[in-house]
Amino acid sequence: MLDKTFDAKTVENDLYRQWEESGVFAANPEGNATPYTIMMPPPNVTGSLHMGHALTFTLQDVLIRYHRMRGRDALWQPGSDHAGIATQMVVERQLEAQGVTRHDLGRAGFIDKVWEWKAQSGGTIQRQLRALGASADWPRERFTMDDGLSAAVRRIFVMLHRDGLIYRDRRLVNWDPKLHTAISDLEVEQRETTGKMWYMRYPLAEDPSRFLVVGTTRPETMLGDTAVAVHPEDERYADLIGKTVRLPIVGREIPIVADDYADPEKGSGAVKITPAHDFNDFEVGRRNGLRLINIFDLNAALRGGPMELYVFTPEGHTEPLTDAAGTPLTETLPEAYQGLDRFAARDKVIAEIEAAGLLEKIDDNPMTVPYGDRSGVVIEPWLTEQWFVDAKELAKEPIKAVEEGRTRFVPTHWENTFFEWMRNIQPWCISRQIWWGHQVPAWFGPDGTAFVEESEEEALAAAETHYGKAVELVRDPDVLDTWFSSALWPFSTLGWPEQTPDLARYYPGDVLVTGFDIIFFWVARMMMFGHYAMGDVPFRDVYIHALVRDAKGQKMSKSKGNVIDPLDLIDQFGTDALRFTLAALAAQGRDIKMSEGRVQGSRNFATKLWNAARFCEMNDCRPADGFDPAAVKLTLNRWIIAKADAAAGKVAEGLDAYRFNDAAGAAYAFTWNTFCDWFVEFAKPLLSGEDAAARAETQATAAWVLGRILVLLHPFMPYVTEHLWQALTQGQGGQLIAARWPDSGALAAPEAEAEMDWVVELISTIRSVRSEMNVPPGGRLPLLVKDAGADTRQRLETHGALIERLARLESIALVDDAETKGAAQMVLGEATLLLPLAGVIDIDQEKARLGRDIAAQEKEMAKLDKKLGNPGFLAKAPPEVVAEQRERLDEATQTRDRLSAALARLEA
RNA sequence: GGGCGCGUAGCUCAGCGGGAGAGCACUCGCUUCACACGCGAGGGGUCGCUGGUUCAAUCCCAGCCGCGCCCA
């Protein structure tokens, strides 16, 4: 016997272990079934489960469980990524607590520490995923730093390099002065602030009494200015183009150039150009052949010693500027500035400019400032040599694939975001100046020539060929962006570069499920590398889900203190409740506002289901051997079977279209509002009645429908459904997770449906009037039915017992002409229902009620009359629509007439 | 400034060319033999505003107002 409520805590762990140990999560590469593949977006190894994870992994698990039940060979590939910067920071912080730096340990020693840390703390999220019920193929779990995946990184790096799609270049990168590494554009957060615009006067070299006023938000960079730009059509400055100004403080003579970048409307119309410290200025420098001077060191402090000068090559790259003898040319900053932090330098520059009378004015200026998303410090555009991926070239195939629908975004509007980014993509800086990650497979010879190979041996061999003798090589110390290895995930996890059977079978995946925030970081890059390495899309569909927010719609964040921990919700309401809530709220294109109340509602639903099962158990509703749902006799049973069949169709339709909310809603509505609210109540008289055949059929039907419900709800609520399945079949039904999802559509029964819908309406009508007339809930009344047609008579005959029970009637009688004095009257179809309420009924109240009903019908009639009186409507609307409106008018008219007759009788 | 999305019942949201829906909240009633994490009955909406297309607009189009996100 089942307990009174479902206690999630007592069953979840055991059931999960049972599933996992039975091997049902595993893909079956040897089988004949068509694969269904989802590559789990690998969570960060330092991560722990937050609400966003809970959503994304719930939806993936729903899909995986659904398709597994449909008979597909489901592969859900789990794993995690090594999160280069984040992990290195975590481990460094730990070391710091012991007073040790990574430099004390050395590179190899530090990396050992990271692996130690991973062994201890790296499995957190995998445990939490299990708590969430995630049915991933755990023995296949991969980590981006695994040997195989690392080999894949080296292989594709070498391939891309040979194809010229990876190259080394000296250009501006986003430099994080705290972490001492380059980061990609995507790792830079643009924050809105109100800064200042300082206007400085630069004296003309040939006439120091004349000035050019330049505006800047970063005065300290003036130390690296190599030009001033004005707009070519700006008449104010036309005569100055080609002349030079003398840079204050430094004394450098720099040209005045004409470039569209200078906006005549903005400030003075003249703009200082610092090509080594601003992305826009870099482009101006390239167009105008300007010099570059890198004035900052890796801490973004002003440099001490001599600073090299660079120039642009005709190809747009940069190279050191040398004298005729090939000796690099340098400059040195004024001594007072050397070693100053960038912000201290700013103050000093302004003070000195002001003291020299060269400060024109200072304005407030709304602007965006770049911050490192990991370090939180202001990012410095910095001139340095890095490895880049030619993203523009690699983007071509993915763009085509989306244009041609070979990869489909759901909802489709994310295509725009994807196209927008992919068509304007910049070179991707992939090298990082940290230790934890895949070290760049490049070795440098004595003259700086790079040998890019998969191993040191190959590099040495290549170098020997190149130099004609064996030489010593130094490996590039940098590592690759974590996303570089994550981009290989859809095929590296399947064994690539080996041509494994798994790779042939499970690539490409069916769907990638993720949030929009990593479309660029990850989705786009998987598509680039997938096409490059595999010649095909990495997945057919990309389902982009919403962000989970708090109940007020605010983004959850630790600093706001509004984070809801999914594990707390699981603890309070059970995993099924959390999962069902997330799925039911996952409507396309709208963010999810999570609140405890919603989860509580889902918990209540689980309890409702539990109690329905308990009812079945108490009434000996057990699955019958050889039960054929198409062969049942009783209308009631044919009706609920048809409804269950339709519900299965709706759930499947929802899931097939990634409409999780529709799917969850359909299962919920059928379970609660059809099965529990009506069928169970209808079944009661039969289950306790004398007719053994009817009882047996109803028991078997109830068990069958409950089984269907468990199947339909299993993807959403795996624990309670599995537990009930095994309890109700007493272990004879196997595991629900491995049960077959039903085909639907073959069990429709329109006549049974019409009949039972009529019964429902009859009971509802009587209940409504009882309530309105304040009939005591326990009081049983006789029901008189006037003008009943053949169908009505037959239906009353068939369902009399349950109508009496649910409408609380003492009897049902057919009458020709009834004593209506003191009776409440209702119209249902052709028949009029009378509830004699002599002594109870307030005649005036009843008249008013009938009057309201009549008015409502007449309002409807007026609306339909108007529509049907419109010649345009009759001429242009589809005939079936016109017919439907006519029918509705007829119905309303007849109902109105019967209500009027009832009113007349009351007044007689 | 560019792009995307959203304004429907008190709240959170479905619906998206032909009868305004759900959950929660609210009101009233209920020890009805599965369930008070429940049962029954209700109240509540010029479907942001203004135009247009259409026989017909909450739904399609345009503009406006308000809100959010992304990018510059």
Side-chain angles (χ1 to χ4, degrees), chain A residues 373-655:
Chain A
D373 65 356
R374 290 285 175 192
S375 66
V377 302
V378 176
I379 291 302
E380 197 62 48
W382 207 48
L383 188 66
T384 167
E385 260 193 297
Q386 303 283 346
W387 292 96
F388 291 89
V389 166
D390 184 349
K392 195 155 196 73
E393 183 62 30
L394 287 172
K396 286 180 180 164
E397 280 302 315
I399 289 171
K400 219 164 97 191
V402 175
E403 282 169 348
E404 291 169 0
R406 283 179 286 127
T407 294
R408 214 163 52 98
F409 277 88
V410 182
T412 28
H413 67 253
W414 288 109
E415 279 179 5
N416 299 332
T417 308
F418 171 83
F419 285 138
E420 181 62 26
W421 191 66
M422 288 293 252
R423 286 173 180 153
N424 298 296
I425 199 162
Q426 297 297 310
W428 173 19
C429 172
I430 51 171
S431 38
R432 298 287 179 274
Q433 287 65 51
I434 58 172
W435 287 351
W436 175 239
H438 302 99
Q439 194 170 350
V440 174
W443 285 260
F444 295 106
D447 63 347
T449 304
F451 299 92
V452 173
E453 299 292 344
E454 286 182 54
S455 68
E456 184 161 15
E457 293 71 48
E458 290 167 282
L460 285 167
E464 192 169 341
T465 309
H466 176 79
Y467 294 113
K469 60 174 182 179
V471 295
E472 287 215 1
L473 298 179
V474 179
R475 185 166 186 180
D476 190 321
D478 291 351
V479 303
L480 294 168
D481 183 3
T482 304
W483 295 104
F484 186 89
S485 50
S486 305
L488 312 181
W489 192 251
F491 46 95
S492 63
T493 52
L494 296 171
W496 190 92
E498 302 304 317
Q499 293 302 314
T500 62
D502 279 352
L503 189 61
R505 182 173 173 84
Y506 297 110
Y507 188 97
D510 288 83
V511 59
L512 182 84
V513 177
T514 187
F516 62 84
D517 45 340
I518 58 172
I519 289 183
F520 309 136
F521 275 110
W522 192 48
V523 179
R525 286 161 176 177
M526 279 190 287
M527 292 169 73
M528 293 181 195
F529 284 3
H531 278 281
Y532 177 73
M534 298 293 297
D536 194 4
V537 297
F539 24 73
R540 310 265 178 233
D541 291 348
V542 181
Y543 173 72
I544 302 289
H545 61 245
L547 215 65
V548 185
R549 299 170 175 279
D550 74 2
K552 291 184 208 123
Q554 302 236 335
K555 209 164 167 174
M556 291 187 193
S557 76
K558 279 184 194 148
S559 53
K560 279 188 216 145
N562 62 345
V563 174
I564 305 175
D565 184 346
L567 298 167
D568 281 353
L569 292 174
I570 287 176
D571 199 44
Q572 247 186 105
F573 301 109
T575 301
D576 291 333
L578 174 64
R579 290 172 56 117
F580 189 84
T581 305
L582 288 167
L585 292 177
Q588 287 181 9
R590 202 189 275 253
D591 284 345
I592 292 179
K593 292 190 181 122
M594 176 47 77
S595 73
E596 217 176 277
R598 295 299 301 235
V599 186
Q600 190 176 344
S602 300
R603 188 275 318 269
N604 294 352
F605 175 53
T607 308
K608 185 74 180 174
L609 171 66
W610 179 267
N611 278 291
R614 201 158 152 261
F615 170 85
C616 289
E617 186 189 41
M618 292 168 81
N619 287 281
D620 294 321
C621 301
R622 298 183 207 295
D625 286 341
F627 177 77
D628 178 4
V632 300
K633 300 274 183 302
L634 297 179
T635 307
L636 170 65
N637 292 332
R638 287 198 291 126
W639 164 76
I640 196 65
I641 285 168
K643 292 277 195 196
D645 187 55
K650 282 184 207 155
V651 175
E653 207 177 303
L655 291 179

